[in-house]
Amino acid sequence: MNNIFVYIEMEGGKVADVSLELLTKGRELATTLGVKLEAVVLGHNLAGIETELAKYGADTVWVADDPLFSPFRTLPHTAVLCGLIGQEKPQIALFGATPVGRDFAPRVSSALHSGLTADCTQLEIGDHKDAKTGTEYKNLLYQIRPAFGGNIIATIVNPDHRPQMATVREGVMRKEYAAQPGAGEVKAIDWKKMVTDADLAVKIIDRQIEERKIDIKGAGIIVAGGYGMGSKENFRLVHELADVLGGEVGASRAAVDAGFTEHARQVGQTGVTVRPKLYIACGISGQIQHTAGMDQSSMVISINSDPEAPINKIADYAITGDVNEIIPKMIKYYKQNSK
């Protein structure tokens, strides 16, 4: 009762990185609350999965292992998780904000009338006092995310309904082994009493899966261009600088919307979240929609004609000037001094 659930998403027989990130954060939250961290896995051929999940702090691993659950289908997954939550009554349930999680979590939330905060960038435990009634609540989940188009950071609480539910995008939380591994106790879910014939109405006939051609999530160096690059032709300078540095190319949403580059390179709230060792922001103003996806970079260098640009507030080094003049000088200097 009142433990923390983390839904474990499987990709090609492996645990998705976002699920391990959520276990890392879940371990922190569970320790603060003094409760158990419980992983929930629905899939097939799951023998031994508890070993990996225990390393990230899972005390209990709930398992439904059957061909019925692989690949993912919304209805049977929803039925089983709703049944398990009704049985165990966790106080918090966390999901990855992936295509699966964005389909799955809202259905579970709707069925349980629990409420759900999507695309959180931070999760914390704290107290809350209702301004109208004066009621005080202890140890609520602070579900923190950008709101109103990214113009503010909102802290959302769910005082009265359980579980408190949130989705988090990949890369937002750190993925680390727990200081003290969890017990990883396996418990089988009695799913057959939870799934009805109606839940099996949809059958998967065929699946077509294409690997990503562009994946910047794990890059150590990212050179990102914004609308300030001016044109698609000028944006090539971003590619040239990334090439000489051995890095990847990223972009702001404004640059993508302007057609300067592909959406797969978009960094930020509606793109990917990255944590490179070096992030060079070229002609990017640095609105919160963008910085939410890169503010955990080890070092940030900004190049912007506006010395008051918001990106400069989080940059370790800020270069003020025309990106189309500065980048060629950087490329030339690096080539001359890297031989």
Side-chain angles (χ1 to χ4, degrees), residues 44-318:
H44 186 42
N45 294 326
L46 300 176
I49 194 171
E50 69 278 2
T51 302
E52 180 179 10
L53 302 183
K55 293 177 182 177
Y56 291 88
D59 297 304
T60 303
V61 180
W62 290 95
V63 175
D65 190 340
D66 193 272
L68 184 77
F69 301 111
S70 182
F72 171 83
R73 282 185 291 171
T74 306
L75 295 178
H77 272 67
T78 299
V80 172
L81 191 56
C82 285
L84 184 63
I85 288 175
Q87 172 185 308
E88 297 299 315
K89 296 180 171 53
Q91 61 176 304
I92 294 171
L94 305 176
F95 302 76
T98 62
V100 167
R102 285 177 171 142
D103 174 11
F104 186 32
R107 289 176 179 267
V108 174
S109 172
S110 178
L112 299 174
H113 304 285
S114 66
L116 171 70
T117 303
D119 288 347
C120 292
T121 55
Q122 199 172 350
L123 300 171
E124 297 177 0
I125 300 298
D127 301 333
H128 171 67
K129 182 176 181 179
D130 190 299
K132 291 184 178 180
T133 65
T135 305
E136 295 186 4
Y137 300 87
K138 298 292 185 181
N139 294 328
L140 292 181
L141 178 67
Y142 286 178
Q143 301 155 59
I144 303 168
R145 57 154 294 158
F148 290 102
N151 293 314
I152 65 170
I153 294 292
T155 299
I156 300 167
V157 294
N158 183 358
D160 299 315
H161 297 276
R162 295 293 179 270
Q164 302 164 90
M165 292 179 58
T167 66
V168 177
R169 292 189 307 128
E170 183 178 352
V172 172
M173 308 294 180
R174 293 190 179 278
K175 180 181 70 172
E176 296 177 339
Y177 285 156
Q180 188 72 32
E185 179 188 1
V186 177
K187 292 187 178 181
I189 302 172
D190 189 7
W191 59 266
K192 291 184 179 179
K193 69 179 183 181
M194 302 172 183
V195 178
T196 67
D197 290 341
D199 295 321
L200 305 178
V202 176
K203 300 187 183 301
I204 296 175
I205 298 173
D206 188 28
R207 301 176 81 210
Q208 297 293 331
I209 300 175
E210 184 176 337
E211 293 292 329
R212 291 179 180 174
K213 295 180 181 179
I214 299 172
D215 188 357
I216 67 173
K217 288 183 296 185
I221 298 174
I222 294 177
V223 182
Y227 189 73
M229 292 304 301
S231 69
K232 187 173 184 178
E233 290 70 30
N234 291 345
F235 200 88
R236 292 173 185 167
L237 290 172
V238 177
H239 285 270
E240 291 180 26
L241 181 57
D243 285 343
V244 299
L245 295 177
E248 277 285 358
V249 172
S252 68
R253 178 172 179 172
V256 172
D257 289 348
F260 295 174
T261 191
E262 308 96 326
H263 179 267
R265 299 192 182 278
Q266 183 176 319
V267 175
Q269 184 69 15
T270 52
V272 297
T273 300
V274 295
R275 296 172 180 267
K277 293 180 179 178
L278 174 61
Y279 190 92
I280 304 177
C282 308
I284 295 174
S285 64
Q287 298 301 321
I288 195 169
Q289 298 98 316
H290 183 77
T291 58
M294 47 68 67
D295 60 2
Q296 296 299 310
S297 304
S298 298
M299 179 177 288
V300 177
I301 298 174
S302 70
I303 308 172
N304 203 290
S305 59
D306 180 7
E308 302 300 321
I311 190 72
N312 292 342
K313 295 178 181 178
I314 66 168
D316 297 283
Y317 299 95

